[in-house]
Amino acid sequence: MENYNQTSTDFILLGLSPPPKIGHFIFILIDFVFLMALIGNLSMILLIFLDIHLHTPMYFLLSQLSLIDLNYISTIVPKMVYDFLYGNKSISFIGCGIQSFFFLPLAGAEALLLTSMAYDRCVAICFPLHYPACMSKRVCVLMITGSWMIGSVNSCAHTVYALRIPYCKSRAINHFFCDVPAMLTLACTDTWVYECTVFLSTTVFLVFPFICIACSYGWILLAVYRMHSTEGRKKAYSTCSTHLTVVTFYYAPFAYTYLRPRSLRSPTEDKVLAVFYTILTPMLNPIIYSLRNKEVMGALTRVIQKIFSVKM
């Protein structure tokens, strides 16, 4: 290891490091989750595109969430699979920067997009008469474009800083991808100021959006409580519980990981929590939104019937 560190600028991703007896099982499980995420998110995008009944702001935002999740998991898992199959855990300095650059904007865009989806549900349920004006196509496009642009600017700032840090310690990153906080432990300079910017960035992309989401659902619960229609209550509760499940799976482990100071963080704990927001969430999102959504299941039935009728 020492010779490698002295003669190469490459990093080494230590990965999840499971016990040898369950290593193959973990590998198969991650492959299965990856395939499920690919199939689920691609199916959701195609379904929303093909069925005219889903051409609404809510499902337009949902299609973008599936697109983000599709790219999100694809920046992490293929490298993990390659490392396991070929036993080559090294990643070039530039490759590490590229992975970090693509991971960060997707993470930021998803956090902001989930906030937009909460706003969409809040307006639809609490202010239905204003919904066409508040959630027009132009507003949806601005929300999505803003999420991507803000996430990209944040990504550029963090990636450029991470690539300019002098690394003079071991090149072994104790993670399964190039996570910037994990890379900071290898720096030979004081990174306290940058850690403060990471805390600030996490607050902007996780804490503030979560507060907005909490306020939105506060309004929604109040509006649902006042509803006289039992069917309307059930539909509102179903939609909101689905979104809250997705938000919890994404925000909770992410915030817990990034808001803690380095002295309180554990590499093993960070890797386990990262599995939730980098691997499990992209797989669970399309499942949760399809199985718990009658409109999506209805659209799926219509598309399947249309395909079979064309073949007949």
Side-chain angles (χ1 to χ4, degrees):
M1 180 71 73
E2 290 300 323
N3 291 335
Y4 179 87
N5 292 336
Q6 293 171 4
T7 59
S8 175
T9 58
D10 290 357
F11 289 107
I12 302 174
L13 295 173
L14 298 182
L16 290 173
S17 305
K21 292 183 179 180
I22 64 170
H24 285 85
F25 172 75
I26 296 294
F27 169 72
I28 294 171
L29 185 61
I30 289 175
D31 279 353
F32 174 75
V33 170
F34 179 60
L35 289 174
M36 286 290 291
L38 290 182
I39 295 170
N41 286 294
L42 278 173
S43 299
M44 188 65 74
I45 293 169
L46 289 173
L47 188 63
I48 293 170
F49 176 75
L50 293 173
D51 192 271
I52 194 170
H53 296 88
L54 300 183
H55 292 180
T56 62
M58 173 183 170
Y59 292 105
F60 185 44
L61 294 173
L62 181 55
S63 68
Q64 289 298 307
L65 181 65
S66 291
L67 179 62
I68 289 173
D69 283 338
L70 191 64
N71 288 280
Y72 197 41
I73 196 169
S74 297
T75 62
I76 307 296
V77 174
K79 175 59 180 170
M80 293 177 65
V81 173
Y82 177 84
D83 290 350
F84 185 88
L85 290 176
Y86 296 97
N88 180 16
K89 295 187 175 184
S90 67
I91 182 170
S92 68
F93 186 77
I94 297 299
C96 203
I98 291 173
Q99 188 184 57
S100 177
F101 176 78
F102 281 104
F103 165 75
L104 289 172
L106 292 168
E110 178 154 347
L112 296 175
L113 192 63
L114 288 172
T115 309
S116 299
M117 293 173 72
Y119 171 76
D120 171 78
R121 290 301 83 204
C122 180
V123 175
I125 295 171
C126 302
F127 311 100
L129 297 178
H130 298 281
Y131 186 76
C134 293
M135 288 302 298
S136 62
K137 286 185 178 180
R138 180 175 176 274
V139 173
C140 284
V141 170
L142 286 174
M143 284 180 170
I144 292 167
T145 305
S147 297
W148 281 97
M149 289 182 65
I150 295 171
S152 297
V153 171
N154 178 66
S155 172
C156 287
H158 287 289
T159 304
V160 168
Y161 184 88
L163 293 178
R164 293 181 55 138
I165 295 174
Y167 297 98
C168 56
K169 297 182 181 179
S170 168
R171 290 275 174 172
I173 301 175
N174 197 357
H175 217 298
F176 55 85
F177 70 100
C178 291
D179 189 30
V180 173
M183 294 169 65
L184 292 181
T185 60
L186 310 180
C188 56
T189 58
D190 184 14
T191 58
W192 180 82
V193 174
Y194 177 67
E195 287 178 42
C196 290
T197 64
V198 170
F199 181 88
L200 179 62
S201 179
T202 305
T203 302
V204 171
F205 281 90
L206 292 177
V207 178
F208 288 165
F210 184 78
I211 292 172
C212 292
I213 291 172
C215 292
S216 297
Y217 282 104
W219 278 102
I220 289 172
L221 289 174
L222 185 61
V224 169
Y225 178 76
R226 293 173 178 172
M227 281 184 180
H228 299 291
S229 169
T230 305
E231 187 63 28
R233 281 188 181 184
K234 286 183 179 180
K235 186 176 180 180
Y237 277 129
S238 176
T239 304
C240 295
S241 61
T242 297
H243 190 200
L244 282 174
T245 303
V246 173
V247 167
T248 302
F249 267 103
Y250 186 75
Y251 278 89
F254 220 143
Y256 182 72
T257 299
Y258 281 80
L259 289 176
R260 287 178 299 161
R262 193 202 299 185
S263 58
L264 299 178
R265 296 175 65 175
S266 161
T268 302
E269 195 176 54
D270 285 353
K271 287 188 283 187
V272 172
L273 291 171
V275 168
F276 279 91
Y277 59 81
T278 60
I279 300 175
L280 291 181
T281 300
M283 185 269 290
L284 290 173
N285 282 353
I287 295 175
I288 292 171
Y289 276 110
S290 61
L291 294 181
R292 300 197 61 186
N293 192 309
K294 291 181 180 179
E295 291 180 354
V296 173
M297 296 305 293
L300 180 61
T301 303
R302 287 190 296 271
V303 170
I304 292 174
Q305 288 175 347
K306 188 183 293 184
I307 292 172
F308 278 101
S309 65
V310 170
K311 287 186 177 180
M312 292 291 287

